[in-house]
Amino acid sequence: MQTIRDWLSRHMNDPQVVALTGVLLVGLGTVVFFGDMLAPVFTAIVIAYLLEGVVQKLEHWIPRGPAVIVVFLLFMAGFALVMFALMPTLTQQVAQLVENLPRMLDRGQTTLLRLPERYPEFFSAEQVSSLLAAIRQESVDLGRMLVSSVSLSSVVKIFTLVVYSILVPLLVFFFLKDKARLLGWVRRCLPRHRTLADTVWHEVDMQIGNYVRGKFLEILIVGAAAYITFVLLGLQFAALLAVVTGLSVIIPYIGATVITVPIAVVAYFQFGPSSEFIWVMAAYAIIQALDGNVLVPLLFSEVVNLHPVAIIVSILVFGGIWGFWGIFFAIPLATLINAVINAWPEPEPPEAARGEADDASG
């Protein structure tokens, strides 16, 4: 306890540290206690960060007001394209996938029942029967969960989606249009001694903005490459699998591995153990290799400098706390913690403190 008291007495006497700690606690409390209510605001902030870079580039040729209008109209056009072109296709392919699930399960059951005959040294009939029983039970539980969730909350989800579709674009427009005014209002609410907090904010602001824009480009590029590849190879549910492949890059090291399973399952049940199946899996592996070794270094070479262990731990921790948004912002949040640690003032050695005290007394 004495060690803790000494640490608090050294650091909490510094007004800069107190101001930074207060800002961090207020921000954390806002996310924890009001995160659900302010979800449209957080979503709009993410999109505004995404669009701010485009607005700044346009400001080299035109004033900010017209630049904001042009970028916002382009954003709304892309939003309409997703809602009225991509979403119906995804919904249709999800429905087709659900319809094909019984045939996939039957074919998978047939394949599993042949394992004891082909590989008796590795599989027994009892093991295969137990595995099939577990799969059937999981399928039944999943079906019940989907039916109950749709029947109980479909109306609420539709209403929430409609509200988000109106509020989020409106907030994005005002965040872009009145950025300077809003930031000035936030600064007036901050403590007077905030030099340390400003240092952390400038670093995190640059990191988060670059990360969000880079991650969005990565999702688009990987998703488009996957869609073109799957269509050329004749894979079913190409749009759906391309979307999940693009979104998998949100979770470094883990997303690509997890999405391999549905792609392999769909390809196997469509092509069987054939050369087409091998081509699909090889193409998917090439896409992931190019993403990790070419695209990520190009997009994030100056953004994030964190050890892979720190990234994985941050994904597990923040994803467990805040779900999807925790996973999406795991790296920026880890960057925030790293920036705070780097900016935190180091305590003076005891010898230096004693020397200053002796000089003052002399």
Side-chain angles (χ1 to χ4, degrees), residues 261-277:
V261 176
I263 293 175
V265 169
V266 171
Y268 180 81
F269 286 113
Q270 180 179 351
F271 301 116
S274 61
S275 59
E276 288 85 356
F277 171 77

Side-chain angles (χ1 to χ4, degrees), residues 198-259:
D198 287 341
T199 301
V200 174
W201 164 250
H202 287 310
E203 180 177 351
V204 173
D205 176 49
M206 180 187 66
Q207 294 283 354
I208 293 179
N210 292 336
Y211 175 79
V212 171
R213 287 186 285 271
K215 187 59 67 175
F216 181 76
L217 287 176
E218 185 185 6
I219 291 172
L220 288 181
I221 294 172
V222 172
Y227 178 73
I228 295 172
T229 302
F230 295 157
V231 169
L232 292 176
L233 294 175
L235 185 64
Q236 293 178 339
F237 317 114
L240 179 61
L241 295 176
V243 169
V244 297
T245 301
L247 294 177
S248 69
V249 305
I250 293 176
I251 314 176
Y253 312 112
I254 302 173
T257 304
V258 173
I259 301 303

Side-chain angles (χ1 to χ4, degrees), residues 105-121:
L105 292 176
D106 291 339
R107 187 170 178 179
Q109 179 176 346
T110 303
T111 303
L112 290 175
L113 290 173
R114 293 176 182 172
L115 291 178
E117 300 176 3
R118 296 182 177 179
Y119 311 101
E121 64 275 12

Side-chain angles (χ1 to χ4, degrees), residues 53-77:
V54 184
V55 172
Q56 291 179 358
K57 291 184 182 299
L58 285 180
E59 283 187 281
H60 295 296
W61 294 282
I62 58 177
R64 181 173 179 86
V68 168
I69 294 175
V70 171
V71 172
F72 181 75
L73 291 177
L74 292 175
F75 162 70
M76 292 303 299

Side-chain angles (χ1 to χ4, degrees), residues 19-297:
L20 175 60
T21 304
V23 170
L24 293 175
L25 290 178
V26 170
L28 179 62
T30 302
V31 173
V32 171
F33 295 107
F34 304 102
D36 294 336
M37 290 182 288
L38 296 178
V41 178
F42 295 147
T43 304
I45 290 175
V46 173
I47 298 174
Y49 258 113
L50 177 65
L51 301 178
E52 177 61 26
V54 184
V55 172
Q56 291 179 358
K57 291 184 182 299
L58 285 180
E59 283 187 281
H60 295 296
W61 294 282
I62 58 177
R64 181 173 179 86
V68 168
I69 294 175
V70 171
V71 172
F72 181 75
L73 291 177
L74 292 175
F75 162 70
M76 292 303 299
F79 180 75
L81 181 65
V82 170
M83 292 300 296
F84 299 108
L86 182 59
M87 289 302 295
T89 302
L90 295 180
T91 303
Q92 181 182 5
Q93 293 195 0
V94 169
Q96 293 175 354
L97 181 60
V98 172
E99 291 178 0
N100 290 330
L101 278 179
R103 283 184 290 176
M104 289 183 176
L105 292 176
D106 291 339
R107 187 170 178 179
Q109 179 176 346
T110 303
T111 303
L112 290 175
L113 290 173
R114 293 176 182 172
L115 291 178
E117 300 176 3
R118 296 182 177 179
Y119 311 101
E121 64 275 12
F122 297 109
F123 302 97
S124 64
E126 291 78 9
Q127 290 175 335
V128 173
S129 299
S130 301
L131 178 60
L132 288 174
I135 292 175
R136 292 193 195 98
Q137 185 61 42
E138 290 294 331
S139 301
V140 171
D141 294 341
L142 179 61
R144 291 175 179 173
M145 182 185 68
L146 291 175
V147 170
S148 62
S149 62
V150 170
S151 60
L152 292 177
S153 60
S154 57
V155 176
V156 176
K157 290 180 179 179
I158 293 174
F159 178 76
T160 303
L161 180 61
V162 172
V163 173
Y164 275 35
S165 301
I166 298 173
L167 285 182
V168 172
L170 191 63
L171 289 171
V172 169
F173 175 76
F174 284 112
F175 282 151
L176 291 173
K177 174 179 174 293
D178 300 325
K179 175 186 174 182
R181 184 186 303 178
L182 293 173
L183 289 179
W185 178 81
V186 171
R187 290 190 187 97
R188 288 196 297 271
C189 297
L190 293 176
R192 184 190 311 171
H193 303 283
R194 60 172 189 271
T195 304
L196 186 61
D198 287 341
T199 301
V200 174
W201 164 250
H202 287 310
E203 180 177 351
V204 173
D205 176 49
M206 180 187 66
Q207 294 283 354
I208 293 179
N210 292 336
Y211 175 79
V212 171
R213 287 186 285 271
K215 187 59 67 175
F216 181 76
L217 287 176
E218 185 185 6
I219 291 172
L220 288 181
I221 294 172
V222 172
Y227 178 73
I228 295 172
T229 302
F230 295 157
V231 169
L232 292 176
L233 294 175
L235 185 64
Q236 293 178 339
F237 317 114
L240 179 61
L241 295 176
V243 169
V244 297
T245 301
L247 294 177
S248 69
V249 305
I250 293 176
I251 314 176
Y253 312 112
I254 302 173
T257 304
V258 173
I259 301 303
T260 303
V261 176
I263 293 175
V265 169
V266 171
Y268 180 81
F269 286 113
Q270 180 179 351
F271 301 116
S274 61
S275 59
E276 288 85 356
F277 171 77
I278 296 176
W279 277 111
V280 170
M281 299 313 299
Y284 175 74
I286 292 173
I287 290 173
Q288 293 297 341
L290 291 175
D291 173 49
N293 296 288
V294 178
L295 190 59
V296 170

